Coordinates of all heavy atoms in Angstrom, one line a residue:
E12 N -4.3 -16.3 7.8 CA -4.5 -17.6 8.4 C -4.0 -17.5 9.9 O -3.0 -17.0 10.2 CB -3.8 -18.7 7.8 CG -4.4 -19.1 6.5 CD -3.7 -20.3 5.9 OE1 -3.4 -21.3 6.6 OE2 -3.5 -20.3 4.6
E13 N -4.8 -18.0 10.8 CA -4.4 -18.0 12.2 C -3.1 -18.7 12.4 O -2.8 -19.8 11.9 CB -5.5 -18.7 13.1 CG -5.3 -18.6 14.6 CD -6.5 -19.2 15.4 OE1 -7.6 -19.1 14.9 OE2 -6.2 -19.7 16.4
G14 N -2.2 -18.1 13.3 CA -0.9 -18.6 13.6 C 0.2 -18.4 12.6 O 1.3 -18.8 12.8
K15 N -0.1 -17.7 11.5 CA 0.9 -17.5 10.4 C 1.4 -16.0 10.6 O 0.8 -15.2 11.1 CB 0.3 -17.6 9.0 CG -0.3 -19.0 8.7 CD 0.7 -19.9 8.2 CE 0.1 -21.2 7.8 NZ 1.0 -22.0 7.1
Q16 N 2.6 -15.8 10.1 CA 3.3 -14.5 10.2 C 3.1 -13.7 9.0 O 3.8 -12.7 8.7 CB 4.8 -14.7 10.4 CG 5.1 -15.3 11.7 CD 6.6 -15.7 11.9 OE1 6.9 -16.8 12.2 NE2 7.5 -14.6 11.7
E17 N 2.1 -14.0 8.2 CA 1.9 -13.3 6.9 C 0.4 -13.0 6.7 O -0.5 -13.7 7.3 CB 2.4 -14.1 5.7 CG 1.7 -15.3 5.5 CD 2.3 -16.2 4.4 OE1 3.2 -15.8 3.7 OE2 1.8 -17.3 4.2
F18 N 0.1 -12.1 5.9 CA -1.3 -11.9 5.3 C -1.2 -11.5 3.8 O -0.1 -11.1 3.4 CB -2.1 -10.9 6.1 CG -1.7 -9.5 6.2 CD1 -1.8 -8.7 5.0 CD2 -1.3 -8.9 7.4 CE1 -1.4 -7.3 5.1 CE2 -0.9 -7.6 7.4 CZ -1.0 -6.8 6.3
F19 N -2.3 -11.7 3.2 CA -2.3 -11.4 1.8 C -3.5 -10.3 1.5 O -4.5 -10.4 2.1 CB -2.7 -12.6 0.9 CG -1.6 -13.7 1.1 CD1 -1.7 -14.6 2.2 CD2 -0.5 -13.7 0.3 CE1 -0.8 -15.7 2.3 CE2 0.4 -14.7 0.5 CZ 0.3 -15.7 1.5
I20 N -3.2 -9.4 0.6 CA -4.2 -8.4 0.2 C -4.5 -8.6 -1.2 O -3.5 -8.6 -2.0 CB -3.8 -7.0 0.5 CG1 -3.5 -6.8 2.1 CG2 -4.8 -6.0 0.0 CD1 -2.9 -5.6 2.5
E21 N -5.7 -8.6 -1.7 CA -6.1 -8.6 -3.1 C -7.1 -7.6 -3.4 O -8.0 -7.4 -2.6 CB -6.6 -10.0 -3.5 CG -5.5 -11.1 -3.6 CD -5.9 -12.3 -4.2 OE1 -7.1 -12.5 -4.5 OE2 -5.1 -13.2 -4.3
R22 N -6.9 -6.9 -4.5 CA -7.8 -5.8 -4.9 C -7.7 -5.6 -6.4 O -6.6 -5.7 -6.9 CB -7.4 -4.6 -4.1 CG -8.1 -3.2 -4.4 CD -9.6 -3.2 -4.0 NE -10.2 -2.0 -3.6 CZ -10.6 -1.0 -4.5 NH1 -10.4 -1.2 -5.8 NH2 -11.2 0.0 -4.1
E23 N -8.8 -5.3 -7.0 CA -8.8 -5.0 -8.4 C -9.1 -3.5 -8.7 O -9.9 -2.9 -7.9 CB -9.8 -5.9 -9.2 CG -9.3 -7.4 -9.2 CD -10.1 -8.3 -10.0 OE1 -11.1 -7.9 -10.7 OE2 -9.8 -9.5 -10.0
F24 N -8.6 -3.0 -9.7 CA -8.8 -1.6 -10.1 C -9.3 -1.5 -11.5 O -8.8 -2.3 -12.4 CB -7.5 -0.7 -9.9 CG -7.1 -0.7 -8.5 CD1 -6.1 -1.5 -8.0 CD2 -7.6 0.3 -7.7 CE1 -5.8 -1.5 -6.7 CE2 -7.2 0.4 -6.3 CZ -6.3 -0.5 -5.8
E25 N -10.0 -0.5 -11.8 CA -10.5 -0.2 -13.2 C -9.5 0.7 -13.9 O -9.9 1.9 -14.2 CB -11.9 0.4 -13.2 CG -13.0 -0.3 -12.4 CD -13.2 -1.7 -13.1 OE1 -13.3 -1.8 -14.3 OE2 -13.5 -2.6 -12.3
A26 N -8.3 0.3 -14.0 CA -7.2 1.0 -14.7 C -6.1 0.1 -15.2 O -6.0 -1.0 -14.6 CB -6.6 2.0 -13.6
P27 N -5.4 0.5 -16.2 CA -4.4 -0.4 -16.7 C -3.2 -0.5 -15.7 O -3.0 0.4 -14.9 CB -3.9 0.4 -18.0 CG -4.4 1.8 -17.9 CD -5.6 1.8 -17.0
R28 N -2.5 -1.6 -15.9 CA -1.4 -1.9 -14.9 C -0.4 -0.8 -14.9 O 0.1 -0.4 -13.7 CB -0.8 -3.2 -15.3 CG 0.3 -3.6 -14.4 CD 0.8 -5.0 -14.6 NE 1.5 -5.2 -15.9 CZ 2.2 -6.2 -16.2 NH1 2.3 -7.2 -15.3 NH2 2.8 -6.3 -17.3
E29 N -0.1 -0.2 -16.0 CA 1.0 0.8 -15.9 C 0.5 2.0 -15.1 O 1.4 2.6 -14.4 CB 1.3 1.3 -17.4 CG 2.0 0.3 -18.2 CD 1.2 -0.9 -18.7 OE1 0.0 -0.8 -18.6 OE2 1.7 -1.9 -19.1
L30 N -0.7 2.4 -15.1 CA -1.2 3.5 -14.3 C -1.3 3.1 -12.9 O -0.9 4.0 -12.0 CB -2.6 3.9 -14.8 CG -3.2 5.2 -14.2 CD1 -2.3 6.4 -14.4 CD2 -4.6 5.4 -14.8
V31 N -1.7 1.9 -12.6 CA -1.7 1.5 -11.2 C -0.3 1.5 -10.6 O -0.1 1.9 -9.5 CB -2.4 0.1 -11.0 CG1 -2.4 -0.3 -9.6 CG2 -3.9 0.2 -11.5
F32 N 0.6 1.0 -11.4 CA 2.0 1.0 -11.0 C 2.5 2.4 -10.7 O 3.2 2.7 -9.7 CB 2.9 0.4 -12.1 CG 4.3 0.2 -11.6 CD1 4.7 -0.9 -10.9 CD2 5.3 1.1 -12.0 CE1 6.0 -1.1 -10.5 CE2 6.6 1.0 -11.5 CZ 7.0 -0.1 -10.8
R33 N 2.1 3.4 -11.5 CA 2.5 4.8 -11.2 C 1.9 5.3 -9.9 O 2.6 6.0 -9.2 CB 2.0 5.7 -12.4 CG 2.8 5.6 -13.6 CD 2.3 6.5 -14.7 NE 2.3 7.9 -14.2 CZ 1.5 8.8 -14.7 NH1 0.6 8.6 -15.7 NH2 1.5 10.1 -14.2
A34 N 0.7 4.8 -9.7 CA 0.0 5.3 -8.4 C 0.8 4.8 -7.2 O 0.8 5.4 -6.1 CB -1.4 4.7 -8.4
F35 N 1.5 3.7 -7.3 CA 2.3 3.1 -6.2 C 3.7 3.6 -6.2 O 4.5 3.3 -5.2 CB 2.2 1.6 -6.1 CG 1.0 1.1 -5.6 CD1 -0.2 0.9 -6.4 CD2 0.8 0.8 -4.2 CE1 -1.3 0.4 -5.8 CE2 -0.4 0.3 -3.7 CZ -1.4 0.1 -4.5
N36 N 4.1 4.4 -7.2 CA 5.5 4.7 -7.4 C 5.9 6.2 -7.4 O 7.0 6.6 -7.1 CB 6.1 4.0 -8.6 CG 6.4 2.6 -8.3 OD1 7.4 2.3 -7.6 ND2 5.5 1.7 -8.7
E37 N 4.9 7.0 -7.8 CA 5.2 8.4 -8.0 C 4.7 9.2 -6.8 O 3.5 9.1 -6.4 CB 4.6 8.9 -9.3 CG 5.1 8.2 -10.5 CD 4.5 8.7 -11.8 OE1 3.7 9.7 -11.8 OE2 4.7 8.0 -12.8
P38 N 5.6 10.0 -6.1 CA 5.3 10.7 -4.9 C 4.0 11.6 -5.1 O 3.2 11.6 -4.2 CB 6.5 11.5 -4.6 CG 7.6 10.8 -5.3 CD 7.0 10.2 -6.5
E39 N 4.0 12.3 -6.1 CA 2.8 13.2 -6.3 C 1.5 12.5 -6.4 O 0.5 13.0 -6.1 CB 3.0 14.2 -7.5 CG 3.3 13.5 -8.8 CD 4.7 13.0 -9.1 OE1 5.6 13.2 -8.2 OE2 4.9 12.4 -10.2
F40 N 1.6 11.2 -6.9 CA 0.4 10.4 -7.0 C 0.1 9.9 -5.6 O -1.1 9.9 -5.2 CB 0.8 9.3 -7.9 CG -0.3 8.8 -8.9 CD1 -0.1 8.3 -10.1 CD2 -1.7 8.8 -8.5 CE1 -1.0 7.8 -10.9 CE2 -2.7 8.4 -9.3 CZ -2.4 7.8 -10.5
L41 N 1.1 9.4 -4.9 CA 0.8 8.8 -3.6 C 0.2 9.8 -2.6 O -0.7 9.5 -1.9 CB 2.1 8.3 -2.9 CG 2.8 7.1 -3.5 CD1 4.2 6.9 -3.0 CD2 1.9 5.9 -3.1
L42 N 0.6 11.1 -2.8 CA 0.0 12.1 -1.9 C -1.5 12.3 -2.1 O -2.2 12.7 -1.2 CB 0.7 13.5 -2.1 CG 2.2 13.5 -1.7 CD1 2.9 14.8 -2.2 CD2 2.2 13.5 -0.1
Q43 N -2.0 11.9 -3.2 CA -3.4 12.1 -3.5 C -4.3 11.0 -2.9 O -5.5 11.2 -2.8 CB -3.7 12.1 -5.1 CG -3.0 13.2 -5.8 CD -3.3 13.1 -7.3 OE1 -4.4 13.0 -7.7 NE2 -2.2 13.2 -8.0
W44 N -3.7 9.8 -2.7 CA -4.6 8.7 -2.3 C -4.2 7.9 -1.0 O -5.0 7.3 -0.4 CB -4.8 7.8 -3.4 CG -3.6 6.9 -3.8 CD1 -2.6 7.2 -4.7 CD2 -3.3 5.6 -3.3 NE1 -1.7 6.2 -4.7 CE2 -2.1 5.2 -3.9 CE3 -3.9 4.8 -2.4 CZ2 -1.5 4.0 -3.6 CZ3 -3.2 3.6 -2.0 CH2 -2.0 3.2 -2.7
L45 N -2.9 7.8 -0.7 CA -2.4 6.9 0.3 C -2.8 7.4 1.7 O -2.4 8.4 2.1 CB -0.9 6.7 0.2 CG -0.3 5.6 1.1 CD1 -0.8 4.3 0.8 CD2 1.2 5.6 1.0
G46 N -3.6 6.6 2.4 CA -3.9 6.8 3.8 C -5.4 7.1 3.9 O -6.1 7.4 3.0
P47 N -5.8 7.2 5.2 CA -7.2 7.4 5.6 C -7.6 8.9 5.2 O -6.8 9.8 5.0 CB -7.2 7.3 7.1 CG -6.0 6.6 7.4 CD -5.0 6.9 6.4
K48 N -8.9 9.1 5.0 CA -9.4 10.4 4.6 C -9.3 11.5 5.6 O -9.3 12.6 5.4 CB -10.8 10.3 4.1 CG -11.8 9.8 5.2 CD -13.2 9.7 4.6 CE -14.1 9.0 5.6 NZ -15.4 8.7 5.1
D49 N -9.1 11.1 6.9 CA -9.0 12.1 8.0 C -7.5 12.4 8.3 O -7.2 13.0 9.3 CB -9.7 11.6 9.2 CG -9.1 10.4 9.9 OD1 -8.4 9.7 9.2 OD2 -9.3 10.1 11.0
M50 N -6.6 12.1 7.4 CA -5.2 12.3 7.6 C -4.6 13.0 6.3 O -5.0 12.7 5.2 CB -4.4 11.0 7.9 CG -4.7 10.4 9.2 SD -3.6 9.0 9.5 CE -4.2 8.6 11.2
E51 N -3.6 13.8 6.6 CA -2.8 14.4 5.5 C -1.5 13.6 5.4 O -0.9 13.2 6.5 CB -2.6 15.9 5.6 CG -3.9 16.7 5.6 CD -3.6 18.2 5.7 OE1 -2.4 18.6 5.9 OE2 -4.6 18.9 5.7
M52 N -0.9 13.5 4.3 CA 0.4 12.8 4.1 C 1.5 13.7 3.7 O 1.3 14.6 2.8 CB 0.2 11.7 3.1 CG 1.4 10.9 2.9 SD 1.1 9.5 1.7 CE 2.8 9.0 1.3
K53 N 2.6 13.5 4.3 CA 3.8 14.3 3.9 C 4.9 13.2 3.6 O 5.1 12.2 4.4 CB 4.3 15.2 5.1 CG 5.5 16.0 4.8 CD 5.9 16.8 5.9 CE 6.7 15.9 6.9 NZ 7.3 16.7 8.0
I54 N 5.6 13.4 2.5 CA 6.7 12.5 2.2 C 8.0 13.2 2.5 O 8.4 14.2 2.0 CB 6.7 12.1 0.7 CG1 5.4 11.4 0.3 CG2 7.9 11.4 0.2 CD1 5.2 11.1 -1.1
D55 N 8.7 12.6 3.5 CA 10.1 13.1 3.8 C 11.1 12.6 2.8 O 12.1 13.3 2.6 CB 10.5 12.6 5.3 CG 9.7 13.3 6.3 OD1 9.1 14.4 6.1 OD2 9.7 12.8 7.4
K56 N 11.0 11.4 2.4 CA 11.9 10.8 1.5 C 11.2 9.7 0.6 O 10.4 9.0 1.2 CB 13.1 10.2 2.2 CG 14.2 9.5 1.4 CD 15.2 8.9 2.3 CE 16.3 8.3 1.4 NZ 17.4 7.6 2.1
Y57 N 11.6 9.7 -0.6 CA 11.0 8.7 -1.5 C 11.9 8.4 -2.7 O 11.8 8.9 -3.8 CB 9.6 9.1 -2.0 CG 8.8 7.9 -2.4 CD1 8.3 7.0 -1.5 CD2 8.5 7.6 -3.8 CE1 7.6 5.9 -1.8 CE2 7.8 6.5 -4.1 CZ 7.3 5.7 -3.2 OH 6.6 4.5 -3.5
D58 N 12.9 7.5 -2.4 CA 13.9 7.1 -3.4 C 13.4 5.7 -3.9 O 14.0 4.7 -3.5 CB 15.3 7.0 -2.8 CG 16.3 6.6 -3.8 OD1 16.1 6.7 -5.0 OD2 17.4 6.2 -3.3
N59 N 12.4 5.7 -4.7 CA 11.7 4.5 -5.1 C 12.4 3.8 -6.3 O 12.0 3.8 -7.4 CB 10.3 4.7 -5.4 CG 9.5 3.4 -5.4 OD1 9.8 2.6 -4.6 ND2 8.6 3.3 -6.3
Q60 N 13.5 3.2 -6.0 CA 14.3 2.4 -6.9 C 15.0 1.2 -6.2 O 15.0 1.3 -4.9 CB 15.3 3.2 -7.6 CG 16.4 3.8 -6.7 CD 17.4 4.7 -7.4 OE1 17.7 4.4 -8.5 NE2 17.9 5.7 -6.7
S61 N 15.4 0.2 -6.9 CA 16.0 -0.9 -6.2 C 17.2 -0.4 -5.4 O 18.0 0.4 -5.9 CB 16.6 -1.9 -7.2 OG 15.4 -2.5 -8.0
G62 N 17.2 -0.7 -4.1 CA 18.3 -0.2 -3.2 C 17.9 1.2 -2.6 O 18.6 1.7 -1.7
G63 N 16.8 1.7 -2.9 CA 16.3 3.0 -2.3 C 15.7 2.9 -0.9 O 15.7 1.8 -0.4
S64 N 15.1 3.9 -0.5 CA 14.3 3.9 0.8 C 13.3 5.0 0.8 O 13.2 5.8 -0.1 CB 15.3 4.2 2.0 OG 15.9 5.4 1.9
Y65 N 12.4 5.0 1.8 CA 11.3 6.0 1.9 C 11.0 6.3 3.3 O 11.3 5.5 4.2 CB 10.1 5.5 1.1 CG 9.4 4.3 1.8 CD1 8.4 4.5 2.7 CD2 9.8 3.0 1.5 CE1 7.8 3.4 3.4 CE2 9.2 1.9 2.1 CZ 8.2 2.1 3.0 OH 7.6 1.1 3.7
R66 N 10.4 7.4 3.6 CA 9.8 7.7 4.8 C 8.7 8.7 4.6 O 8.9 9.7 3.8 CB 10.8 8.4 5.8 CG 10.1 8.7 7.1 CD 11.1 9.2 8.2 NE 10.6 9.3 9.4 CZ 9.7 10.3 9.9 NH1 9.5 11.4 9.2 NH2 9.2 10.2 11.1
F67 N 7.5 8.4 5.2 CA 6.4 9.4 5.1 C 5.7 9.5 6.4 O 5.8 8.6 7.3 CB 5.5 9.0 3.9 CG 4.8 7.6 4.0 CD1 3.7 7.4 4.7 CD2 5.5 6.6 3.3 CE1 3.1 6.1 4.7 CE2 4.9 5.3 3.3 CZ 3.7 5.1 4.0
V68 N 4.9 10.5 6.6 CA 4.2 10.8 7.8 C 2.7 11.1 7.5 O 2.5 11.9 6.6 CB 4.8 12.0 8.6 CG1 4.1 12.3 9.8 CG2 6.3 11.7 8.9

Side-chain angles (χ1 to χ4, degrees):
E12 287 185 43
E13 187 174 328
K15 301 275 186 167
Q16 291 174 237
E17 64 185 356
F18 65 67
F19 300 90
I20 299 169
E21 290 188 355
R22 173 72 151 73
E23 293 182 3
F24 294 96
E25 305 296 323
R28 180 168 69 168
E29 289 76 13
L30 186 57
V31 178
F32 187 82
R33 286 181 55 204
F35 281 87
N36 282 284
E37 296 178 11
E39 58 278 359
F40 217 149
L41 286 169
L42 289 169
Q43 296 179 53
W44 71 269
L45 187 60
K48 61 184 176 188
D49 64 342
M50 293 188 175
E51 293 181 3
M52 181 175 161
K53 178 181 84 175
I54 295 175
D55 286 342
K56 178 180 183 181
Y57 201 70
D58 181 18
N59 197 38
Q60 60 181 330
S61 300
S64 62
Y65 68 92
R66 181 175 191 276
F67 57 87
V68 177

